Amino acid sequence: PIGQIYGTFLLAEVDGELVVVDQHTAHERILYEAFLKNSEVTIQPLLIPRQVNLTLAQATLILERLELFAEIGLRIELFGETTFLIREMPMQLAEVDFESFLVGLSEDFSEMDAIKDMDEVRRKIIASMACHAAVRANQTLGLTQIQTLLHDYFSRNTPPTCPHGRPVIIKYPLLELEKQFQRR
């Protein structure tokens, strides 16, 4: 790693190329793959459940998919008419704003009503989990965090886009840089 610029992009030299990595999309992709495999996810029961209040329409959409949430490590229970308690979650979601997460998912679900493929719905939930849990743009990372993120991304056969299709990495081969500086 070389460092971080604009609080959003990581610079590194990888296999003789200068690479610019979007820290959010790289971390999002790493988390997405881990959540999909469910092998690198540690489920943590909460001593004090997190409470989330939704509208009736949002609550209905979330309630219909509680089994899917449980399959991916999120144990959510209805607590009243429109309130939910998060009882267990993957450790990677410890810092997530669950109200924003569930409101966003309920909006996605209202647009996905025609989708009957539960695997596709499951992937949407996992993509949203990964997005909400990933480091953010304008979040300053230390060198150790940068090294870990880059190592995790490049040590796996990780796709070059986030689950939503945004690019993770841009490469600048040495030959291209030399041309830009009129060295070749």
Side-chain angles (χ1 to χ4, degrees):
I2 297 168
Q4 181 185 41
I5 57 171
Y6 307 118
T8 301
F9 302 103
L10 309 178
L11 300 178
E13 183 180 339
V14 178
D15 298 328
E17 294 180 311
L18 173 65
V19 295
V20 180
V21 177
D22 180 319
Q23 67 190 29
H24 174 74
T25 57
H27 194 216
E28 183 179 359
R29 176 49 83 169
I30 292 165
L31 291 172
Y32 178 77
E33 297 297 325
F35 290 148
L36 267 183
K37 292 177 186 164
N38 216 9
S39 59
E40 301 172 30
V41 178
T42 303
I43 305 304
Q44 177 171 341
L46 302 176
L47 289 174
I48 301 170
R50 292 202 188 167
Q51 186 172 318
V52 177
N53 298 307
L54 302 173
T55 66
L56 185 57
Q58 293 165 340
T60 302
L61 291 165
I62 295 300
L63 188 60
E64 292 171 355
R65 292 161 178 91
L66 289 182
E67 285 182 36
L68 276 174
F69 285 109
E71 287 174 20
I72 55 180
L74 260 174
R75 190 162 64 93
I76 302 172
E77 296 175 0
L78 186 61
F79 183 70
E81 190 176 5
T82 60
T83 301
F84 290 89
L85 295 178
I86 288 87
R87 297 248 182 224
E88 291 180 355
M89 70 174 128
M91 283 180 51
Q92 292 92 332
L93 299 180
E95 301 300 318
V96 166
D97 173 355
F98 275 95
E99 186 165 338
S100 169
F101 170 65
L102 291 178
V103 166
L105 273 176
S106 67
E107 290 169 3
D108 289 347
F109 291 154
S110 67
E111 295 169 11
M112 292 190 302
D113 259 354
I115 300 174
K116 300 299 179 207
D117 180 4
M118 282 300 124
D119 279 341
E120 188 173 343
V121 174
R122 182 176 177 270
R123 283 190 300 276
K124 289 259 188 205
I125 294 171
I126 291 172
S128 186
M129 284 172 43
C131 185
H132 279 81
V135 296
R136 296 278 173 219
N138 300 313
Q139 182 177 342
T140 303
L141 302 179
L143 188 57
T144 303
Q145 292 170 302
I146 293 169
Q147 287 173 324
T148 301
L149 186 69
L150 292 172
H151 178 267
D152 287 352
Y153 181 80
F154 287 107
S155 66
R156 308 163 192 228
N157 190 16
T158 311
T161 62
C162 78
H164 304 103
R166 290 179 37 218
V168 171
I169 184 171
I170 297 173
K171 297 179 181 183
Y172 296 97
L174 177 59
L175 183 62
E176 218 25 66
L177 288 173
E178 288 175 333
K179 284 180 185 177
Q180 290 290 320
F181 286 99
Q182 299 176 358
R183 291 187 166 270
R184 288 210 184 222

